[in-house]
Amino acid sequence: MSHPHFTRVAATEGYTPHRSFRPGEAIPVHATSRVSQVGVRVTNASADTVLWHASVSIDDHPVAERAWADGCNWPVAFEIPSDPNWEPGLYLVHFDDDSDDSDDVGNPAWFVLGGVAAERPLLVLATNTWNAYNQWGGRCMYSGAAHLSFERPLEHGYLLRPTDPDGFDGRVTSVVQGDLEHERLQRYQADHGVPLWTASSGWFSFERRFVDWAAVQGIELDYALDIDLHRDPGLLDERRVLLTVGHSEYWTAAMRDHVDAWVDGGGHWAIMSGNTCFWQVRIDDHVMTCHKGMARRDDPAMDGDRSTLTSMWSDPIVDRPENHSIGLSFTRGGYHRIGRAVPDG
């Protein structure tokens, strides 16, 4: 199979299994490369300091026909020996071409270190939403996919992207007067080769800004991912504050169960994300499923436990609207200022 251009833009790409680790754990990186010798640099996403580096040989591997749904299944190319003293946070794995001293020939891989400082506010990165918008491999949940694997790279733009001289960096913001069609955003994406959906999701657009602000304020954070909140009923034990920031749109039932029970028991949830808890998803191993608008037609849950239907949480069949957890509803009026979707509010 030939490689679609949108699938293999970078010469070197990779991903980490599970994506969530504790400081001191070895972190395997599954990768592919069309470069003979690759330099690897690990940095905290909030700083430029290189914490670990190595020169490695990485083989070139094919992209599966349904990589978006089935994952890449690339072998482990190398391991990163994280240090027990590394701070909780998002870490980037940069790839350079060692053969000609050029920089950043690859799209960075990433991982998170966390779960080690219960006294700190816990920032849960909205990685279900990152996955839903990530079209690496050919599709995402906005271009016809109902099943998406976490075991694939993120497209260029979710973790890093350039900033124009006027400060614009390609995120969706409140509609500027006279720019209902987001023409400025379209020009930015065309100029920099940034994929469409990166404007609506990802570290660079949302969580990064909050983390930078928190650092200035002297607020130390702990970190987790959506999958941690989904799998670990005790993740919030002994926590005082939970933070969701930016765009936390895709939630499993287990995530809501765990957070609802913790809030009912006295936990404090600071919600600084729009469109929170809009879609229900199911996660099986490394695959996230959401049939969205086609759920009543395509989701097998229609013939079983309909409360697990991967539709809107506000779907009467699901009968668990988001305001039951967050106190507000995006479903009713959330698109008022997006184009002309709800012209009368």
Side-chain angles (χ1 to χ4, degrees):
M1 171 191 173
S2 62
H3 295 160
H5 179 67
F6 49 72
T7 296
R8 294 290 293 279
V9 175
T12 307
E13 293 188 285
Y15 58 92
T16 60
H18 315 304
R19 301 158 301 285
S20 182
F21 302 87
R22 297 292 183 94
E25 290 185 336
I27 298 159
V29 179
H30 301 252
T32 184
S33 181
R34 301 191 297 276
V35 175
S36 58
Q37 195 70 16
V38 179
V40 180
R41 295 174 289 119
V42 175
T43 64
N44 188 300
S46 299
D48 294 327
T49 304
V50 177
L51 300 170
W52 181 83
H53 64 88
S55 181
V56 299
S57 296
I58 302 175
D59 293 333
D60 187 15
H61 301 288
V63 176
E65 185 174 356
R66 285 174 42 88
W68 72 85
D70 299 331
C72 292
N73 296 309
W74 296 333
V76 174
F78 58 92
E79 286 192 344
I80 298 167
S82 72
D83 191 297
N85 294 318
W86 287 1
E87 279 289 302
L90 176 76
Y91 287 78
L92 301 180
V93 184
H94 305 269
F95 300 112
D96 309 322
D97 184 351
D98 269 7
S99 65
D100 64 3
D101 296 324
S102 63
D103 292 333
D104 287 330
V105 297
N107 192 27
W110 65 278
F111 60 91
V112 159
L113 298 180
V116 296
E119 73 280 2
R120 298 183 183 185
L122 179 67
L123 174 61
V124 176
L125 303 183
T127 44
N128 286 353
T129 305
W130 299 8
N131 194 34
Y133 283 82
N134 179 28
Q135 197 164 232
W136 197 98
R139 293 188 188 179
C140 69
M141 286 183 175
Y142 297 84
S143 55
H147 310 281
L148 292 175
S149 174
F150 288 100
E151 295 193 347
R152 57 191 177 123
L154 282 170
E155 284 187 296
H156 166 63
Y158 286 99
L159 299 170
L160 295 171
R161 58 177 183 260
T163 300
D164 282 342
D166 64 356
F168 185 67
D169 57 14
R171 65 168 174 162
V172 171
T173 59
S174 297
V175 174
V176 177
Q177 184 70 29
D179 190 20
L180 291 176
E181 304 305 325
H182 293 291
E183 292 180 359
R184 184 189 192 191
L185 174 60
Q186 293 179 54
R187 287 194 300 270
Y188 171 91
Q189 292 181 330
D191 290 344
H192 298 290
V194 175
L196 170 64
W197 301 114
T198 59
S200 298
S201 181
W203 164 265
F204 191 86
S205 285
F206 297 110
E207 288 98 337
R208 172 185 66 93
R209 303 173 193 277
F210 177 82
V211 169
D212 289 348
W213 172 85
V216 172
Q217 304 303 315
I219 300 171
E220 295 182 321
L221 303 171
D222 200 1
Y223 286 72
L225 308 182
D226 281 344
I227 192 65
D228 298 318
L229 190 57
H230 168 77
R231 289 176 174 168
D232 185 0
L235 179 68
L236 300 175
D237 290 352
E238 301 181 11
R239 300 279 179 178
R240 188 174 64 87
V241 177
L242 166 67
L243 300 169
T244 52
V245 175
H247 194 182
S248 186
E249 182 180 1
Y250 290 79
W251 282 61
T252 67
M255 290 171 63
R256 288 192 68 178
D257 290 345
H258 298 158
V259 173
D260 286 353
W262 175 74
V263 170
D264 289 345
H268 297 81
W269 181 13
I271 303 168
M272 289 169 278
S273 59
N275 201 12
T276 306
C277 293
F278 188 78
W279 297 106
Q280 174 166 220
V281 298
R282 295 192 300 269
I283 294 179
D284 180 20
D285 192 16
H286 64 86
V287 176
M288 184 176 81
T289 295
C290 189
H291 291 276
K292 303 184 73 169
M294 297 294 104
R296 295 189 182 200
R297 186 192 72 183
D298 297 338
D299 195 335
M302 285 294 290
D303 298 322
D305 181 0
R306 291 191 172 193
S307 70
T308 68
L309 189 74
T310 56
S311 178
M312 294 182 294
W313 283 105
S314 283
D315 188 317
I317 290 179
V318 180
D319 195 26
R320 194 178 179 183
E322 62 271 27
N323 56 288
H324 286 191
S325 291
I326 69 174
L328 296 171
S329 169
F330 182 88
T331 310
R332 295 159 181 83
Y335 287 109
H336 172 44
R337 297 186 67 198
I338 301 297
R340 296 180 179 83
V342 191
D344 298 325

